[in-house]
Amino acid sequence: MKRRHFLGLLGAAGVTMGSGLSAQAASSADVKGLPNANGVLFDATRCIGCRKCEAACNQVNELPKPAKAFDDLTVLDTIRRTDAKTYTIVNKYVPEAGKPPVFRKSQCNHCMEPACASACFVAAFKKTETGAVVYDESVCVGCRYCMVACPFNIPTYEYDKAFTPRVMKCTMCYPRLLEGKLPGCVEACPKEALLYGKRRELINIAWDRIGATPGRYVEHVYGEREMGGTSWLYVAPKPSFAAIGMDENLGTASAPELTSGALAAVPAVAGIWPVLLTGLYAITKRKDKIAEAEKQAAVAAAIATASADAAAKLSEELAKAEVANKRRIEVEVTKALEAAAKAAEEGEDA
């Protein structure tokens, strides 16, 4: 069963069992975007694919070193995505044959009303005043609804950690922001393809660039309205954002708006989950008890059968022994009688 189908069934179950709940997004009050949040503007016309942003991200977040060094640009020949050990990646695209490639940086877009936060029933994700969407691993239950919900396919999971797995993604260098520093990738970019500042100001800058060079840019600021808006904004050269691997069909509705009906079920599901697990545990234990009783009965029957067989065998052996003993006695008596008779005959002859 596919994850989305499974979650859909859970949602349907929650709606059925949670009648009376208002049809509102599970966490919409907590994830509403902040109008004064900061953000980052990425200009694809300035990116040269040097991967210095990747190297900075790796260093700032103390992530494992990649298999290939950051100055090895052959990795750009393959389209990549972020993973649990890589918060940001740069991909290369060739929108038009015969023309230079275009590079695009990918990472968490830090939505104004994050789908991950809306889907999370334990509030492990939170939109902060800095613009960053942060994650609290201490409350995460590992359901991974956030991974299913994210329209940009960003959160990843530490499947290689059996006991303490986490959901991993870009944090916009949140700890650095609290110290008044720039995100690592922004600070490292040699071509100013990344610009950090107030989101509303970045939108104005983006439109100014588009208007200043007619025909160069796609006449759209990606992230201004997509999915209710994101703190990570993009401008790109023509012909389209789709030409550099970006989804142009997400619409402008935020995740809470799109999922208000389905996510109304989450509190009900969360409340029923312990009951469901308790029931499953009881059924399992009952099966275990039945299986144990059947096993004990089988063992007892086997022991009884073995005992009966052993008794019969012993009786048979004793019977055989008795016959053999009788025969030995008869032989000995016969020998004794024959010896006595022989002795008597010798006495008479003397």
Side-chain angles (χ1 to χ4, degrees):
M1 183 181 291
K2 292 183 179 180
R3 289 185 301 173
R4 294 181 188 277
H5 187 199
F6 173 70
L7 293 177
L9 292 177
L10 279 184
V15 169
T16 302
M17 295 180 284
S19 58
L21 291 174
S22 60
Q24 296 178 354
S27 313
S28 59
D30 298 327
V31 300
K32 188 171 180 59
L34 303 170
N36 294 319
N38 292 336
V40 177
L41 172 62
F42 171 75
D43 190 334
T45 69
R46 301 187 179 192
C47 181
I48 59 173
C50 65
R51 300 185 66 202
K52 291 189 183 300
C53 56
E54 292 186 32
C57 177
N58 180 275
Q59 181 179 4
V60 167
N61 292 287
E62 299 180 345
L63 300 172
K65 294 297 181 184
K68 292 186 178 181
F70 290 108
D71 58 2
D72 184 350
L73 301 185
T74 61
V75 299
L76 298 176
D77 295 331
T78 302
I79 297 298
R80 299 172 294 150
R81 63 153 294 183
T82 59
D83 58 38
K85 298 177 176 61
T86 311
Y87 291 173
T88 188
I89 53 93
V90 175
N91 280 322
K92 180 174 70 174
Y93 301 88
V94 183
E96 297 179 274
K99 291 189 177 182
V102 179
F103 302 93
R104 176 174 67 89
K105 180 181 180 297
S106 296
Q107 70 297 302
C108 173
N109 285 323
H110 300 276
C111 301
M112 300 304 288
E113 297 186 67
C116 55
S118 183
C120 183
F121 60 85
V122 294
F125 289 90
K126 179 183 177 182
K127 178 74 172 181
T128 69
E129 292 182 358
T130 65
V133 175
V134 296
Y135 163 73
D136 184 356
E137 64 185 82
S138 68
V139 299
C140 179
V141 297
C143 68
R144 286 161 282 171
Y145 288 0
C146 54
M147 295 171 61
V148 178
C150 179
F152 302 106
N153 196 31
I154 291 298
T156 56
Y157 198 64
E158 291 182 314
Y159 290 102
D160 57 337
K161 292 189 177 182
F163 300 106
T164 58
R166 298 169 294 173
V167 175
M168 307 298 281
K169 73 171 194 68
C170 158
T171 65
M172 203 189 283
C173 291
Y174 181 64
R176 289 173 59 88
L177 299 183
L178 296 180
E179 296 175 1
K181 299 178 181 179
L182 292 172
C185 58
V186 175
E187 188 174 76
C189 182
K191 294 296 182 179
E192 297 184 351
L194 297 166
L195 182 62
Y196 178 79
K198 292 292 183 184
R199 180 179 182 271
R200 61 177 182 272
E201 295 175 2
L202 294 176
I203 292 174
N204 291 334
I205 292 171
W207 280 111
D208 286 344
R209 290 184 184 180
I210 293 171
T213 53
R216 183 181 187 189
Y217 290 95
V218 179
E219 294 180 358
H220 179 69
V221 178
Y222 195 100
E224 181 178 6
R225 300 187 183 280
E226 275 75 12
M227 295 299 299
T230 63
S231 286
W232 210 279
L233 306 163
Y234 300 81
V235 288
K238 290 186 175 182
S240 66
F241 283 101
I244 57 172
M246 302 182 73
D247 190 344
E248 294 183 316
N249 300 305
L250 293 177
T252 60
S254 67
E257 291 179 71
L258 293 173
T259 58
S260 60
L263 289 178
V266 173
V269 173
I272 290 167
W273 197 246
V275 179
L276 175 60
L277 292 179
T278 301
L280 292 174
Y281 177 76
I283 292 171
T284 301
K285 295 302 291 183
R286 183 173 180 274
K287 288 182 177 179
D288 290 344
K289 288 181 179 179
I290 293 173
E292 182 65 23
E294 291 177 348
K295 182 176 73 175
Q296 292 179 357
V299 170
I303 291 174
T305 301
S307 298
D309 290 345
K313 187 70 174 176
L314 178 61
S315 177
E316 181 182 348
E317 293 299 324
L318 289 175
K320 290 180 180 179
E322 186 176 356
V323 171
N325 286 335
K326 286 181 179 180
R327 287 179 179 175
R328 277 199 298 272
I329 292 171
E330 289 175 354
V331 169
E332 293 299 325
V333 170
T334 299
K335 287 182 178 180
L337 292 174
E338 289 177 350
K342 186 176 180 179
E345 289 179 357
E346 291 177 350
E348 290 178 358
D349 291 343

